[in-house]
Amino acid sequence: MMKRLIVMVLIGMTLVGCTNNSTLSGDVYSASEAKQIQSVTYGTLVMVRPVRIQGGEDSNAIGAISGAVLGGFLGNTIGGGSGRSLATAAAAIAGGVAGSSVEGAVNLAHGVELEVRKDDGSTIVVVQKQGNTRFSVGQRVALTSNGRTTTVSPR
């Protein structure tokens, strides 16, 4: 019984930890971005604001499913007959809600919202994960874009 519980908990924790938020930072490039031509423009930071970035999908389905399975397993160990069925169903629902909440909390990353006045006079906002680089108002930055994503880095 205890072995099963440990296995189920480990599976659930493994599935929740599968989301990778590291590529949201301006300090990390994905493999597909390496060796690709990117355009660069320059500007000055006019506003820097800390934000939180919710990684993964908004539904938190993996956490909910893992929690429901684990909850159902634990609920099935309680009582007997129709009481066991009710305990299994209630524990599966509670586990699903808890698993979804845990996944949402695990996938939350510290980010930074950067408002940049570009040298051409236009203003843009870029949100990226807070990496090792600390930004401040008035700082000169480079905006690197591949047409889909833009990364801000200091100059």
Side-chain angles (χ1 to χ4, degrees):
M1 154 76 181
M2 190 58 142
K3 251 185 178 176
R4 284 186 187 173
L5 175 62
I6 291 171
V7 169
M8 294 302 288
V9 168
L10 288 174
I11 289 171
M13 288 172 36
T14 300
L15 291 175
V16 168
C18 287
T19 300
N20 180 7
N21 289 339
S22 65
T23 59
L24 298 174
S25 168
D27 298 330
V28 178
Y29 287 91
S30 69
S32 64
E33 291 172 315
K35 299 180 87 175
Q36 297 295 316
I37 295 174
Q38 298 188 19
S39 63
V40 179
T41 56
Y42 298 93
T44 304
L45 291 174
V46 294
M47 191 269 308
V48 177
R49 182 173 76 99
V51 296
R52 300 293 299 245
I53 300 171
Q54 179 66 55
E57 299 197 15
D58 293 333
S59 66
N60 295 332
I62 292 174
I65 292 168
S66 300
V69 168
L70 182 59
F73 174 76
L74 293 175
N76 194 41
T77 64
I78 298 171
S82 63
R84 176 177 277 176
S85 297
L86 290 173
T88 300
I93 291 169
V97 170
S100 180
S101 297
V102 167
E103 183 181 6
V106 167
N107 292 333
L108 204 56
H110 292 281
V112 62
E113 180 183 85
L114 304 166
E115 184 177 339
V116 181
R117 178 161 298 115
K118 294 170 60 175
D119 289 348
D120 68 4
S122 64
T123 302
I124 64 166
V125 172
V126 176
V127 175
Q128 62 189 35
K129 183 177 175 188
Q130 180 65 62
N132 295 330
T133 303
R134 299 293 176 214
F135 294 100
S136 59
V137 172
Q139 182 178 16
R140 290 286 294 164
V141 293
L143 304 158
T144 307
S145 177
N146 63 7
R148 292 173 299 143
T149 62
T150 299
T151 300
V152 179
S153 58
R155 280 297 165 247

